[in-house]
Amino acid sequence: AQKITQTQPGMFVQEKEAVTLDCTYDTSDPSYGLFWYKQPSSGEMIFLIYQGSYDQQNATEGRYSLNFQKARKSANLVISASQLGDSAMYFCAMREKSGYSTLTFGKGTMLLVSP
Amino acid sequence: GAGVSQSPSNKVTEKGKDVELRCDPISGHTALYWYRQRLGQGLEFLIYFQGNSAPDKSGLPSDRFSAERTGESVSTLTIQRTQQEDSAVYLCASSLDSTSGETQYFGPGTRLLVL
């Protein structure tokens, strides 16, 4: 079974609108971390936001927020007020305590922001 | 700069040749990771170094792949007798340590093309 599932290969959004990118995960570890990275066409991986499994509140970083629903094992990324520069691939990743050396990545969602 | 750096940016080689990829982590980061990203895919973990501990090589796809790290600094990933399926972007990341909440920061990657 896949550990990280991103069901949306591509998403379109208009500038200034909000968009939600889906991510579900599978783990039996009680302690884990969830990450979102952005990869623009230039190729670098840019860290956006982190949510720990024991964090009581949803993580927020500027226009990014993480809708963490632990019982449903989902960690959706919400981007508010989309900008043209948000067009990129977005990857959800998980780090489990038992395998805390590595990140397991989903296949990504391509976001295109139109004017 | 203060980020993770990788060299070369791009490498074109002939099938059967050996290649060496280099990663300079962020100063002070004890953990270093190598990932591979095939075209249109997410990242696959290859190998991980934490301080002076034995590296976690569980992600290396074959014995043609090896990596070394000098102390807590530079790492080189070596691919011997390259094959066309080795063509990918090889990404290096570093983090302060290897705990589940510690963010990994990525370099720009090396784009390897095996002809």
Side-chain angles (χ1 to χ4, degrees), chain B residues 11-19 21 36 64-65 79-88 90 111-115:
Chain B
K11 177 73 177 177
V12 181
T13 191
E14 291 180 348
K15 179 181 171 180
K17 295 279 178 74
D18 298 351
V19 295
L21 313 179
R36 177 172 70 179
R64 295 186 296 105
F65 288 72
I79 309 173
Q80 295 178 309
R81 305 182 302 282
T82 51
Q83 303 293 312
Q84 288 179 334
E85 62 263 27
D86 299 334
S87 296
Y90 290 82
R111 284 152 190 78
L112 175 65
L113 178 62
V114 182
L115 301 176

Side-chain angles (χ1 to χ4, degrees), chain A residues 23-69:
Chain A
C23 173
T24 57
Y25 59 92
D26 183 25
T27 181
S28 56
D29 269 340
S31 177
Y32 52 89
L34 296 158
F35 301 78
W36 277 92
Y37 285 85
K38 171 185 178 182
Q39 188 177 43
S41 56
S42 53
E44 74 266 35
M45 294 287 284
I46 302 167
F47 166 72
L48 295 178
I49 196 166
Y50 164 77
Q51 179 85 44
S53 58
Y54 293 120
D55 293 345
Q56 294 297 313
Q57 296 192 332
N58 286 347
T60 60
E61 288 285 347
R63 294 186 299 110
Y64 304 107
S65 61
L66 203 151
N67 183 2
F68 182 47
Q69 298 187 45

Side-chain angles (χ1 to χ4, degrees), chain A residues 81-98:
Chain A
S82 298
Q83 301 172 356
L84 295 178
D86 294 335
S87 294
M89 282 289 287
Y90 288 80
F91 290 97
C92 180
M94 176 172 65
R95 193 176 204 173
E96 297 165 277
K97 187 176 182 184
S98 62

